[in-house]
């Protein structure tokens, strides 16, 4: 693991834990929504991409998003069982995807949004499969997808603002530093 | 064993050991994004078995230097390094941190930030395990290290169960287990109560007597360390070595010069400097309470001193505790009234029935061991934690019923960590926030905020992000935000935490001035000298109860009480309490009460 | 339930029952195929069978505490039922068998088919949780990490990062409390309603993250100073072996899962 510094690993852990604490609140909110009105619960889907977006934007290092996803899942696991890890990894994979595709050569802002749109559309389709939403009426289904996409884009925008503020506050210098020896 | 003889031991040891463990030459470090080197040019050596104390004003680069000693700078921290650091002949710029870790052990300021695993034994084993040392030897090293700091019996406990001092001793054990001949400690006792500090230095003293480890210590609290120090290296404001020698050569011979530079000295030494300016000879200069007492006993008072006259003059800004307390309780209605206060956090009751009255304009210190409930008490008064109705009133307002906005106009609260309470993106907005909430006109807000900025020396930082300020500046800003709204009560949680003594002093003088102007001040702190210097009244908290509540001098007169609460006598009191030859000095506890206090050596 | 109540380092209560003696990975891997395949099941019987299987394994293999009993016999069934009912309400009536009517309010009817479909979803989610309990109830964080490092060859630095993260949880939870108090004292974002609440939470995020990252950096320096990552492996004092019984457990579980799935064949293509 030559070039990966401890500061990078632990900074991702910190973002993951802080994200997990926020998600724990979001999760119960979305569960409550899910129980009553399943499709509205995706309105806060953007919350799930937030930690990964913050990490990628702030650190601009490969795999930061996935690592943060893994950690926040582990933190949530005692409350929401091991499936939490799968969930958060899934949600963190998409913010990471555009950068992976460009082999981490570019860190342009629009790439963040590209990831957001991808998951905003992919998730409702996958969710429809697992919750069997295909049986819903079509307008409801379209609204479901639109809501989810909008939420993911919104979450990404918030993540970008948050990361930029943190950077303005001089945070995470160590993690951006590359190991020299 | 005296410091002088220890210095001599070290000198003979130096003659026989050819190569120093540590060799620092013209070291300059510039942090990424900084515009100057700090330290700028540090040069010194450390030999086996030596204890070297590193001093310098805040911002001189002591912490930065410590990070450079085991290669964290430049390998882990983004900074450029000039000059050289050699450990056992290895150039740190070319050697990986992991390899250096077997030669330099590190103990940092925050004990929590050094814990990785779940039991004490796992914790000491963590380092050796990383080095692929066989299991048997890992265990042997772990046992040895834990025994040396007196924690072996607790090896299966979770480190979270240890007190602050215990955790810091554990950190020392972890550094020892690496087997390194050099130990570097950066302010290892900054947030500990006096008993914890004593524990840590007892553990270090043990190591020193064993004589097999060299130690580099960065510490503001000199009273605790001079006893084990061999040599002193002093950096100036820019981080250049200006003094390097034995305790006698540096601390005793150049004390006045160091004091001038803003480097803090042991309280007893500062006291002695003041006495000298009042005509006492005191040669050699004493470095701790015992030496000061002995020196005073050995000497006649100078003819110029008129006993009893100076003290009252010198402390005109802060009336002496005893007389003040009487005056206050007799004359006015209490501003803060607490009756049977029981505060819970979660399901646990932390405070078990507190009764308390504070009169307007009082300066009250709240002291006690780590975890005693000081923070909880202070937060209950300010309504920061929910309190039951009818138990706390501030300025005739029931804290349990009022919303915080109304309350925040009556009581300004300063949290232990200033970063927690910053809510704006610039220093100016941070100050303006409270004023804007009062719906004051724009130009009034501006004028008042700028006035506070000037008063706190932050006028050229108005547009900076609060997080980018230095530690001392952050603290001043947080105090500024608390008092800009003009609250009649100010509550501060460990305002001197993480500050060097010069800044602590500056802040406390500001508070004393505010207090003299009528503001009621409540302070939680671990610094007993500071309490004696400034507080009219002291409240000792232990296990969620008030153990004692009296005028400050009365509290510190009761040694048994202090010890049972995990506290200790402030050094000055310890020195003067035993002086029999000069009864006029007998009751002195504050620097301000010393003859000669008005002379040149007073800190700005 | 507060985050601080979870101690990832607590060694498992001395439990001589079967599950505690298994490798954590075995407990994770055994129910995995069933969990994945359940996502695609649509009937009610399959998830109910798997719930029964999971409960059987847990009851045999774990010493039951009041907390787990509450979780298994109250929280989980109720949650599954509620989710099932509400899913039933939102199902498009035209896509299900509407011949039996369970409830009718005005022009809207809840058909038996819709209810059945909803309950199937609820049971499916409950079954997934129940299967996850097999690992969840008897595995401690450090053991899982050790197994990951020893059997799966996960780089130990990543494993220890995860462990350090567990240590951060109570600290950051506490830090968040303090930040909330501090902001309340400053009178920031007073008032009620969902939008001020959102603005309030937004204001906590920067200080929380900044403090969290600063702490992480300090811990990282302290770990580096103790040779963390010096080599590609490190001395292991605690061995978490993979034994024959782990293999037996996994294969047996897979066989039973396969048996249930083949017998019920819950997929419609
Ligand atoms: N990460 C950093 N990035 C930029 N500048 C830094 C960083 N850390 C420290 N500095 C600056 O380097 C200088 C030296 O800081 P350092 O913390 O070493 O001082 P110090 O002597 O330990 O002070 P104190 O007694 O207050 O602890 C200061 O001016 C500080 O602002
Ligand atoms: N948020 C919280 N939840 C639960 N318990 C808490 C919380 N904060 C503090 N405590 C507990 O309350 C007790 C008193 O804590 P408090 O912070 O008031 O002590 P303190 O005297 O300020 O200590 P220190 O000198 O270490 O700052 C401690 O035992 C602590 O563990
Ligand atoms: Mg420092
Ligand atoms: Mg406290």
């Amino acid at each position: 693991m030559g070039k990966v510094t401890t500061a990078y690993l632990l900074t991702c852990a910190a973002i993951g834990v802080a994200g997990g604490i926020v998600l724990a609140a979001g999760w119960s909110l979305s569960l409550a929504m899910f129980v009553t009105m399943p499709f509205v619960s995706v309105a806060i889907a953007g919350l799930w991409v937030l930690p990964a977006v913050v990490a990628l934007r702030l650190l601009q290092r490969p795999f930061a998003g996935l690592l943060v996803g893994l950690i926040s899942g582990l933190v949530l696991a005692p409350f929401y069982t091991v499936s939490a890890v799968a969930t958060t990894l899934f949600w963190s994979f998409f913010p990471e995807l555009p950068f992976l595709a460009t082999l981490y050569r570019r860190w342009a802002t629009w790439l963040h949004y590209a990831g957001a749109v991808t998951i905003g559309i992919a998730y409702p389709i996958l969710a429809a499969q697992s919750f069997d939403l295909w049986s819903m009426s079509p307008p409801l289904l379209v609204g479901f997808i639109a809501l989810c996409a909008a939420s993911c884009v919104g979450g990404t925008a918030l993540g970008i603002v948050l990361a930029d503020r943190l950077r303005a506050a001089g945070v995470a210098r160590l993690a951006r530093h590359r190991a020299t020896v | 064993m005296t410091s002088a003889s220890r210095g001599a031991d070290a000198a003979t040891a130096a003659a026989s050991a050819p190569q120093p463990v540590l060799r620092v030459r013209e070291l300059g470090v510039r942090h990424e994004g900084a515009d100057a080197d700090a330290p700028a040019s540090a040069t010194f050596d450390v030999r086996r078995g030596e204890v070297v104390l590193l001093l310098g004003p805040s911002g001189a680069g002591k912490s930065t230097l410590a990070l450079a000693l085991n290669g964290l700078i430049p390998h882990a921290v983004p900074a450029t390094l000039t000059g050289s650091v050699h450990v056992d002949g290895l150039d740190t710029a070319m050697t990986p941190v992991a390899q250096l870790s077997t030669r330099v052990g590190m103990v940092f300021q925050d004990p929590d930030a050094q814990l990785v695993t779940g039991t004490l034994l796992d914790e000491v084993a963590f380092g050796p395990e990383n080095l692929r040392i066989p299991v048997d030897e890992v265990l042997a090293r772990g046992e040895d290290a834990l025994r040396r700091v007196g924690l072996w019996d607790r090896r299966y406990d979770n480190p979270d169960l240890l007190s602050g001092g215990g955790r810091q001793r554990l950190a020392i054990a972890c550094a020892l287990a690496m087997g390194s001949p050099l130990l570097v400690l950066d302010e290892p006792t900054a947030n500990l109560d006096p008993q914890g500090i004593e524990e840590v230095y007892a553990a270090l003293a043990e190591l020193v007597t064993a004589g097999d480890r060299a130690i580099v210590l960065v510490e503001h609290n000199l009273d605790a360390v001079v006893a084990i120090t061999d040599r002193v290296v002093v950096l100036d404001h820019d981080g250049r070595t200006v003094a390097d020698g034995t305790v006698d050569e540096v601390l005793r011979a150049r004390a006045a010069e160091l004091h001038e530079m803003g480097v803090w000295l042991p309280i007893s030494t500062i006291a002695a400097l003041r006495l000298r300016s009042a005509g006492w000879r005191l040669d050699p200069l004493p470095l701790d309470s015992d030496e000061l007492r002995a020196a005073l006993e050995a000497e006649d008072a100078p003819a110029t001193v008129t006993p009893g006259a100076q003290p009252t003059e010198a402390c005109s800004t802060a009336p002496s505790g005893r007389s003040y307390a009487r005056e206050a309780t007799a004359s006015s209605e209490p501003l803060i009234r607490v009756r049977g206060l029981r505060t819970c956090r979660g399901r646990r009751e932390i405070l078990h029935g507190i009764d308390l009255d504070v009169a307007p304009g009082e300066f009250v210190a709240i002291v006690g061991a780590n975890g005693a409930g000081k923070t909880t008490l202070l937060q209950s008064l300010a309504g920061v934690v929910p309190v039951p109705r009818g138990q706390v009133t501030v300025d005739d307002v029931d804290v349990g019923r009022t919303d915080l906005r109304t309350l925040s106009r009556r009581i300004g609260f300063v949290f232990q960590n200033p970063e927690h309470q910053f809510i704006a993106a610039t220093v100016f907005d941070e100050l303006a926030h409270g004023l804007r909430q009062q719906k004051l006109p724009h130009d009034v807000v501006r004028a008042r905020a700028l006035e506070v900025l000037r008063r706190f020396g932050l006028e050229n930082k108005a547009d900076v992000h609060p997080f980018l300020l230095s530690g001392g500046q952050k603290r001043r800003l947080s105090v500024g935000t608390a008092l800009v709204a003009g609250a009649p009560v100010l509550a501060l949680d460990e305002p001197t935490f993480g500050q060097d003594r010069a800044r602590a002093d500056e802040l406390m003088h500001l508070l004393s001035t505010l207090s003299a102007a009528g503001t009621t001040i409540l302070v939680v702190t671990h610094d007993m000298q500071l309490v004696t210097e400034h507080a009219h009244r002291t409240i000792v908290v232990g296990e969620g109860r008030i153990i004692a509540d009296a005028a400050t001098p009365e509290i510190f007169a009761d040694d048994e009480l202090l010890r049972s609460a995990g506290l200790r006598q402030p050094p000055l009191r310890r020195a003067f309490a035993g002086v029999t030859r000069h009864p006029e000095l007998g009751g002195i506890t504050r620097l301000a009460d010393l003859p000669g206090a008005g002379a040149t050596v007073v800190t700005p | 339930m507060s985050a601080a109540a979870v101690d990832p380092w607590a060694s498992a209560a001395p439990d001589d029952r079967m599950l505690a003696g298994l490798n954590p990975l075995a407990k994770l891997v055994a129910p995995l195929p069933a969990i994945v395949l359940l996502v695609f099941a649509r009937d009610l019987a399959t998830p109910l069978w798997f719930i029964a299987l999971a409960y059987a394994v847990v009851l045999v293999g774990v010493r039951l505490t009041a907390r787990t009993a509450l979780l298994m016999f109250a929280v989980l069934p109720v949650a599954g039922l509620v989710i099932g009912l509400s899913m039933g309400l939102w199902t498009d009536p035209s896509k299900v068998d509407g011949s039996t009517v369970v409830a009718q309010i005005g022009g809207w009817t809840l058909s038996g088919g819709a209810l059945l479909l909803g309950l199937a979803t609820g049971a499916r989610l409950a079954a997934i949780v129940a299967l996850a309990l097999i690992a969840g109830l008897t595995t401690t964080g450090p053991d899982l990490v050790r197994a990951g490092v020893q059997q799966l060859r996960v780089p130990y630095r990543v494993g220890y990062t995860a462990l350090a993260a567990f240590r951060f949880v109570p600290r950051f939870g506490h830090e968040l409390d303090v930040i909330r108090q501090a902001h309340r004292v400053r009178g920031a974002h007073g008032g009620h309603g969902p939008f001020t609440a959102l603005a309030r939470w937004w204001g906590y995020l920067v200080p929380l993250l900044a403090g969290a990252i600063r702490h992480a950096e300090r811990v990282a320096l302290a770990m580096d100073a103790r040779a963390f990552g010096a080599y590609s492996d490190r001395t292991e004092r605690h061995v978490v072996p993979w034994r024959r019984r782990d293999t037996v457990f996994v294969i047996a579980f897979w066989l039973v899962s396969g048996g249930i799935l083949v017998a019920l064949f819950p997929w419609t293509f």
Side-chain angles (χ1 to χ4, degrees), chain B residues 383-577:
Chain B
V384 178
V385 290
V387 292
R389 295 178 170 197
Q391 296 186 346
V392 185
T393 54
V394 175
D395 206 3
D396 293 329
V397 168
D398 184 350
V399 171
R401 271 175 221 268
T402 321
D403 76 302
L404 274 168
R405 249 187 212 224
T406 339
L407 202 59
S408 67
R409 221 163 289 165
R410 291 189 164 69
I411 181 159
F413 196 92
V414 178
F415 280 79
Q416 189 166 324
N417 181 349
E419 284 189 5
H420 287 154
Q421 68 187 91
F422 292 153
I423 52 183
T426 71
V427 169
F428 178 84
D429 286 340
E430 196 58 43
L431 284 169
H433 173 84
L435 300 170
R436 287 185 188 138
Q437 269 194 336
Q438 296 180 20
K439 306 259 185 310
L440 293 173
H442 191 69
D443 47 336
V444 176
V445 169
R446 201 179 157 71
R448 277 222 226 156
L450 288 179
E451 146 74 27
V452 173
L453 283 178
R454 220 179 358 263
R455 186 155 166 198
F456 286 85
L458 294 170
E459 55 275 60
N460 53 359
K461 299 277 182 194
D463 297 324
V464 175
H465 196 293
F467 280 64
L468 289 177
L469 297 178
S470 80
Q473 290 167 336
K474 277 183 200 148
R475 173 51 71 193
R476 277 177 279 158
L477 177 61
S478 65
V479 176
T481 57
L483 57 81
V484 70
V489 184
L490 211 51
L492 303 98
D493 197 353
E494 308 203 17
T496 53
F497 168 83
Q499 311 282 318
D500 63 63
R501 286 213 63 116
R503 287 210 196 284
D505 212 51
E506 178 192 356
L507 185 73
M508 295 313 287
H509 274 291
L510 176 87
L511 294 181
S512 279
T513 320
L514 285 170
S515 162
T519 309
T520 308
I521 311 248
L522 299 158
V523 173
V524 168
T525 180
H526 286 304
D527 186 334
M528 297 304 131
Q529 186 61 39
L530 188 143
V531 173
T532 9
E533 294 287 329
H534 300 275
H536 304 133
R537 175 176 159 199
T538 300
I539 296 172
V540 184
V541 179
E543 290 170 8
R545 292 196 170 77
I546 291 187
I547 315 183
D549 174 3
T552 305
E554 281 172 41
I555 296 284
F556 286 104
D558 190 344
D559 197 45
E560 217 163 286
L561 164 78
L562 290 175
R563 291 208 157 255
S564 69
L567 305 174
R568 298 292 179 264
Q569 297 274 6
L572 213 53
R573 186 175 188 104
R574 246 178 286 155
F576 286 106

Side-chain angles (χ1 to χ4, degrees), chain B residues 101 112-114 116-118 122-123 126 129-130 132-133 160 384 404 408 415 419 421 423 430 433 437, chain C residues 9 167 171 175 178 181-187 214 219 224-228 230-231 233-235 237:
Chain B
S101 70
D112 282 347
Q114 303 173 64
V116 192
T117 67
D122 284 339
E123 193 65 32
F126 177 77
E129 282 174 355
N130 289 332
R132 280 181 169 157
I133 288 169
D160 292 339
V384 178
L404 274 168
S408 67
F415 280 79
E419 284 189 5
Q421 68 187 91
I423 52 183
E430 196 58 43
H433 173 84
Q437 269 194 336
Chain C
W9 294 99
R167 227 172 216 302
R171 186 183 166 110
E175 193 132 310
V178 178
Q181 290 164 355
H183 283 210
R184 275 174 41 215
V185 168
R186 298 285 313 277
R214 294 238 159 88
V219 176
D224 278 340
R226 284 156 69 194
F228 185 63
Y231 303 101
D233 63 353
R234 65 198 294 276
T235 309
R237 283 193 302 127

Side-chain angles (χ1 to χ4, degrees), chain C residues 48-61:
Chain C
L48 289 180
W49 271 102
F50 275 108
I51 291 178
L53 174 63
Y55 274 34
V57 171
V58 168
L59 290 179
V60 170

